[in-house]
Amino acid sequence: MTAASEAEFKDFWRECTHCGLFCRLGPRHPGEVAECPRCGTALWRMRRSHMNFPLACAMAGLLFYIFALMAPFLEIETYGRAAFARLETGPIRLTEGGWELLGTLVFIVTLIMPGVKLGIAIITLLGLETGLPRRLLKSLFRWYETISPWAMMDVYLLGFLVAYTRLTPMFNVHLDTALYALIGLMLSMAAMDASLDQELVWRRLGHEDLPAERGEAQPIGCMVCGLVNHRPPGSPCLRCETILEPRKPASVTRAWAYTIAAACLYVPANLYPIMNLTSMAKTQPYTIFTGIVELVKNGLWPVALLVFFASITIPLLKLVGMAYILVTCQRGSAQLMRGRTLAYKIINVIGRWSMIDIFMISILVALVHFGQIANVTADTGAVCFASVVILTIFAVDAFDPRLIWDNAGNAKEDHKA
Ligand SMILES: [Zn+2]
Ligand SMILES: [Zn+2]
């Protein structure tokens, strides 16, 4: 597989995904970033590495993934009794305890999605080499970007850290071999994301289909592969066959619906206990806040701050931030447009990190089940809190930030970035 050449990227158009400006991108040197001149969004970064490097990362990730599935990653011991946790133990115990939704959610984002993401990368990159049908590869690679934020191995490892600090005062805790596989998996996936040039993959997948000249219709930037099509709305993208829409449909209404639903659940998520801890026949419920207080009492300030930020600050910032962006967008405000676009980008990036507490509960439930001696069960607050996290991710995803610029009366213009 050859590396990207500068000539391969001579002059192409992109619609900025955050403000809708059409930009003409000239040839770039490897590592250079093309930024939108209006809102500063990175439109494209030409990667330095060869296409074989992300493939090697994906293969390494797959080996770590298989290993992580086969062995336990954490073991605890108390009064001569031991318990160990594998990736699937938490979801299984949550389901057995009557929290099926929570169990399924953890199962999907920690077991299914990382595997699917690695599978898509490996099949697409190997398929390009071996000449698998392009149509099949396109329909697979179309999902790569969509499922990426849902493969939450990085967040899971932080959840593990919090669970570990809670277990060490009560039990003999042993780290098991699969933990290193999970760390390897996270690092391989990060390296794969950093080195994979999606534009280059799309070019090689759809090269023969690219239109030679501009058509009559208004340009629409494809939300999946980025190609600027001159075709009417509702027609398929020439490169990846996704249906073209000038803006996300019913964007503001859907974003409001998810934000309001999440705001309603934010209250019970903080009032109800997220888990119950039984120790020596005494059961104590923990809300998000009392969990943090407990960490502070044990002198674990850094972990307490991490949980406070992930579980209380981020969800609140997301709700208030989304409401502010939606209200100002609907009113057609022309102020702070770059700032509001940046706020949207930040909300988009930080959202998934709120899952730390949910993963911590899943690991504690997996391990601590020694009857009256020590036992952990999930509770209503955890379901409400997980729903807040998921609904806010949906809200951010439903909103089209280009509307901030459209509604402020910015006519579409063309630019050379
Ligand atoms: Zn822009
Ligand atoms: Zn496309």
Side-chain angles (χ1 to χ4, degrees):
M1 210 179 290
T2 50
S5 66
E6 279 170 41
E8 198 168 353
F9 289 106
K10 241 190 184 103
D11 278 6
F12 62 105
W13 288 84
R14 273 290 157 275
E15 180 181 4
C16 173
T17 47
H18 285 79
C19 75
L21 184 72
F22 283 91
C23 305
R24 190 163 144 208
L25 307 182
R28 285 286 188 284
H29 297 295
E32 215 181 318
V33 184
E35 276 181 5
C36 168
R38 189 159 74 175
C39 73
T41 299
L43 297 173
W44 173 60
R45 179 199 303 265
M46 185 160 168
R47 305 298 205 272
R48 280 177 197 283
S49 54
H50 203 272
M51 287 272 274
N52 284 339
F53 184 73
L55 178 60
C57 294
M59 298 272 216
L62 185 69
L63 289 179
F64 285 127
Y65 177 70
I66 293 170
F67 190 74
L69 287 183
M70 290 184 343
F73 62 88
L74 193 62
E75 239 178 278
I76 61 168
E77 215 185 276
T78 187
Y79 297 106
R81 293 170 68 183
F84 61 86
R86 297 150 69 111
L87 264 187
E88 75 277 13
T89 323
I92 291 174
R93 291 232 187 271
L94 283 171
T95 309
E96 284 171 356
W99 306 101
E100 291 88 356
L101 275 178
L102 212 53
T104 311
L105 174 69
V106 177
F107 187 79
I108 290 175
V109 298
T110 57
L111 266 122
I112 307 275
M113 288 306 183
V116 172
K117 185 177 170 179
L118 289 171
I120 291 177
I122 292 174
I123 296 173
T124 311
L125 294 174
L126 273 183
L128 275 173
E129 276 287 81
T130 53
L132 277 180
R134 294 285 151 108
R135 225 196 157 92
L136 168 81
L137 297 181
K138 280 184 200 177
S139 49
L140 260 184
F141 197 65
R142 217 184 291 160
W143 290 98
Y144 182 83
E145 184 77 19
T146 314
I147 65 156
S148 273
W150 296 97
M152 298 194 182
M153 201 34 72
D154 38 6
V155 189
Y156 188 73
L157 282 169
L158 271 189
F160 165 84
L161 181 77
V162 180
Y164 181 80
T165 52
R166 292 199 156 208
L167 289 167
T168 36
M170 296 187 282
F171 307 97
N172 287 325
V173 185
H174 309 285
L175 301 180
D176 257 319
T177 36
L179 176 68
Y180 305 104
L182 288 179
I183 296 172
L185 171 61
M186 181 199 72
L187 293 176
S188 317
M189 288 176 76
M192 174 176 81
D193 277 334
S195 58
L196 183 65
D197 189 336
Q198 295 188 35
E199 171 64 24
L200 183 61
V201 175
W202 277 120
R203 267 163 196 251
R204 296 194 176 166
L205 282 174
H207 193 67
E208 68 282 2
D209 298 328
L210 286 183
E213 52 190 58
R214 284 174 160 220
E216 290 299 307
Q218 284 290 316
I220 301 178
C222 172
M223 284 303 281
V224 172
C225 75
L227 182 76
V228 173
N229 289 259
H230 290 266
R231 314 185 91 187
S235 16
C237 166
L238 278 170
R239 188 155 72 173
C240 73
E241 288 160 34
T242 304
I243 298 299
L244 296 166
E245 302 274 4
R247 294 294 179 260
K248 291 179 188 171
S251 163
V252 172
T253 317
R254 286 191 301 132
W256 263 126
Y258 289 128
T259 308
I260 292 169
C264 294
L265 284 163
Y266 184 75
V267 180
N270 281 283
L271 288 182
Y272 286 112
I274 52 168
M275 65 174 188
N276 297 298
L277 170 67
T278 306
S279 180
M280 298 301 157
K282 263 200 294 189
T283 302
Q284 195 185 351
Y286 280 93
T287 61
I288 292 173
F289 192 72
T290 51
I292 296 169
V293 172
E294 172 96 353
L295 286 169
V296 173
K297 271 188 199 157
N298 292 336
L300 299 161
W301 274 98
V303 183
L305 274 177
L306 172 77
V307 178
F308 181 78
F309 193 66
S311 301
I312 294 185
T313 320
I314 293 183
L316 199 61
L317 272 181
K318 277 167 73 178
L319 290 172
V320 175
M322 273 314 289
Y324 169 69
I325 289 170
L326 284 164
V327 168
T328 49
C329 173
Q330 279 181 308
R331 294 175 63 183
S333 162
Q335 286 177 344
L336 295 171
M337 297 206 292
R338 251 184 114 114
R340 280 185 282 143
T341 310
L342 179 67
Y344 173 82
K345 279 190 233 172
I346 294 172
I347 293 174
N348 193 13
V349 171
I350 59 175
R352 54 206 283 284
W353 292 93
S354 301
M355 288 293 282
I356 289 177
D357 250 356
I358 299 297
F359 293 147
M360 183 264 308
I361 295 169
S362 149
I363 294 170
L364 292 186
V365 169
L367 284 165
V368 188
H369 49 94
F370 301 113
Q372 292 298 306
I373 302 174
N375 199 41
V376 172
T377 51
D379 211 333
T380 322
V383 182
C384 299
F385 183 71
S387 310
V388 172
V389 180
I390 301 302
L391 285 168
T392 45
I393 295 179
F394 284 164
V396 173
D397 194 50
F399 181 66
D400 195 327
R402 292 172 292 184
L403 294 175
I404 296 176
W405 299 78
D406 290 353
N407 292 3
N410 280 273
K412 282 188 180 176
E413 24 175 340
D414 292 349
H415 252 272
K416 188 171 186 349

